[in-house]
Structure formats: structure tokens, C-alpha cells
């Protein structure tokens, strides 16, 4: 099962983004022509957008690309299925959650964050198995910029982890947003500014200062 042009209606409030008219047909053709295994499965590729309408987004966590290990990527940035062993980046995220707000999580399924209005978006929505950032130049960045621009319509919290995600900051326009930038949680960079960045408590402090409910991170 794939994601054809006629399936775009499933995206609800995202379906009218220009990307789906101008860029997606070419990307889709490229993906269909691939001889390598592409992750995540086609029916999960736009899962982050399918699960959360623009009006319901309170926080954006921007990643880079899906996990390139078979069985890991599921369409939500940094998330894995409950029975999957935690990838190293997710282990570091959970360590920061515990250090920051003193709570722990039972597994790597982050879909409960989506229920609280957290958009878990990667800047590329596909990756060849075993080839990190293998589709970073396929054209997905146009979708990222359009999503961020749409979500700039009123104050929201944006968490940008790593230089790649931070490179999209200029597409967050307007006033009143909380924008948190740090190193990526990967083992190669987590000690260069991710650990100790306290994004979870900072987001919740910002939410409560605005009279809104905090995010339930665990």
C-alpha cells in the first residue's frame, strides 16, 4: 500500500500545501523507482501529519530523517514501536526527560505526545535502509518549510535538535513563539549541548505562563 495523489485528502488541513501539487508527484516517482528498501513503509510516510491537524499543534519537534534501521521508523520523528529496542538517540532523549523533569518512560512509542499536540516531524520523510540521510536531497525540505510557515500563524513552541533542523529556523516567522535550539540527541553530539538543555520543562513553563496545560511528556 502506498500514498497516491488521491490519498492526500487523508491529510486534512495539510492537504492544500503547495508541496503536494508541485513537489510530491516527482518525489513519489523517485521513490517508486528505487530498488532499495525504503523506510518507513509507504502507508506510514505521512503519519505525523495524518495524526495531527494544524489547528491542534502546540509543539513542533523537528528531527532530520527516519531511522535507517529496519523496523525502527514508523512515521513519527524519534519514535519507535513499543516492542522495539530504543535507538541511541531516543535513549538520550529519555535520559534528558528524566534529568529535566524527573520522570521516565516505559517504551519508545511517542504517539502519546501527539495526543497532547506535539508534531513529531522529520525534515525528510523517507530514507533508504542503512543509508543515513540518504534522501536528504530528494526534495522533502519544501514540505518542511511549508509546514513551519503554516504553523507560524500564532505562537507555538518549536524544538530544533541538531544543525540540520536549526537550519529551518528562518521559516518560523511572526512573533511570540518559543524556539529552542540545541545539539542533536545522537551519541555523537548529545554532550555538545543537548544534555542539560531542558527542553521539556522549558516548553511546559512557557505553556503554563500562557495559561495553557503543560505537555505530559511521560
Amino acid at each position: 500500500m502506498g500514498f497516491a495523489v488521491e490519498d492526500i485528502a487523508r491529510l486534512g488541513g495539510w492537504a492544500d500545501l503547495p508541496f503536494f501539487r508541485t513537489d510530491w508527484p516527482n518525489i513519489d516517482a523517485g521513490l517508486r523507482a528505487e530498488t532499495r528498501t525504503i523506510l518507513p513503509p509507504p502507508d506510514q510516510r505521512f503519519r505525523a501529519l495524518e495524526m495531527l491537524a494544524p489547528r491542534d499543534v502546540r509543539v513542533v519537534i523537528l528531527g532530520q530523517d527516519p531511522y535507517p534501521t529496519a523496523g525502527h521508523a514508523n512515521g513519527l520523528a524519534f519514535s519507535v514501536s513499543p516492542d522495539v529496542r530504543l535507538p541511541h538517540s531516543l535513549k538520550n532523549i529519555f535520559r534528558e526527560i528524566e534529568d529535566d523533569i524527573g520522570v521516565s518512560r516505559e517504551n519508545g512509542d511517542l504517539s502519546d505526545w501527539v495526543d497532547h499536540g506535539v508534531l513529531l516531524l522529520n525534515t525528510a520523510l523517507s530514507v533508504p535502509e542503512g543509508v543515513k540521510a540518504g534522501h536528504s536531497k530528494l526534495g522533502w525540505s519544501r514540505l518542511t518549510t511549508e509546514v513551519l510557515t503554516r504553523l507560524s500563524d500564532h505562537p507555538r513552541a518549536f524544538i530544533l535538535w541538531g544543525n540540520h533542523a536549526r537550519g529551518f529556523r528562518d521559516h518560523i516567522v511572526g512573533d511570540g513563539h518559543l524556539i529552542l535550539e540545541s545539539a542533536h540527541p545522537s551519541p555523537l553530539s548529545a554532550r555538545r549541548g543537548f544534555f542539560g538543555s531542558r527542553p521539556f520543562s522549558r516548553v511546559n513553563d512557557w505553556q503554563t505562563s500562557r495559561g495553557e496545560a503543560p505537555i505530559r511528556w511521560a
Side-chain angles (χ1 to χ4, degrees):
M1 181 168 58
F3 194 95
V5 173
E6 57 268 23
D7 296 320
I8 292 173
R10 287 162 36 192
L11 299 177
W14 305 106
D16 65 338
L17 292 176
F19 167 86
F20 291 105
R21 297 190 309 274
T22 61
D23 298 87
W24 170 240
N26 288 334
I27 294 175
D28 185 38
L31 291 172
R32 292 176 184 274
E34 274 273 18
T35 57
R36 298 173 291 183
T37 299
I38 304 302
L39 305 174
D43 61 313
Q44 295 182 344
R45 200 153 286 151
F46 293 97
R47 187 179 174 212
L49 301 181
E50 289 185 69
M51 289 184 67
L52 197 59
R55 65 179 180 276
D56 297 324
V57 177
R58 302 171 62 203
V59 181
V60 179
I61 294 180
L62 194 61
Q64 183 168 337
D65 60 344
Y67 294 121
T69 302
H72 283 194
N74 64 12
L76 302 179
F78 298 105
S79 180
V80 294
S81 297
D83 58 340
V84 172
R85 183 177 180 180
L86 296 184
H88 294 301
S89 293
L90 193 52
K91 284 184 180 179
N92 289 337
I93 290 171
F94 285 5
R95 172 179 165 179
E96 181 63 18
I97 290 175
E98 190 162 3
D99 290 347
D100 185 9
I101 57 177
V103 296
S104 59
R105 292 187 57 91
E106 295 181 356
N107 60 63
D109 181 6
L110 304 181
S111 59
D112 56 301
W113 289 4
V114 180
D115 295 336
H116 284 268
V118 180
L119 179 65
L120 297 167
L121 184 68
N122 280 314
T123 58
L125 301 190
S126 64
V127 66
E129 182 179 347
V131 187
K132 183 178 179 181
H135 280 171
S136 61
K137 297 181 180 180
L138 194 62
W140 288 114
S141 60
R142 181 71 64 86
L143 177 61
T144 307
T145 61
E146 291 181 5
V147 168
L148 294 178
T149 300
R150 171 150 298 181
L151 294 178
S152 298
D153 59 345
H154 69 260
R156 290 181 168 91
F158 295 85
I159 300 175
L160 311 180
W161 284 335
N163 289 335
H164 187 78
R166 295 167 77 175
F168 288 86
R169 175 172 179 152
D170 289 348
H171 299 285
I172 304 169
V173 297
D175 299 322
H177 306 296
L178 175 68
I179 303 177
L180 304 179
E181 302 180 53
S182 76
H184 194 276
S186 74
L188 295 176
S189 57
R191 297 184 182 279
R192 301 175 186 171
F194 174 76
F195 289 138
S197 61
R198 303 180 59 245
F200 309 101
S201 63
R202 292 166 70 187
V203 165
N204 280 356
D205 288 347
W206 183 76
Q207 297 281 6
T208 55
S209 73
R210 293 166 44 81
E212 300 179 8
I215 303 298
R216 185 175 179 179
W217 297 110

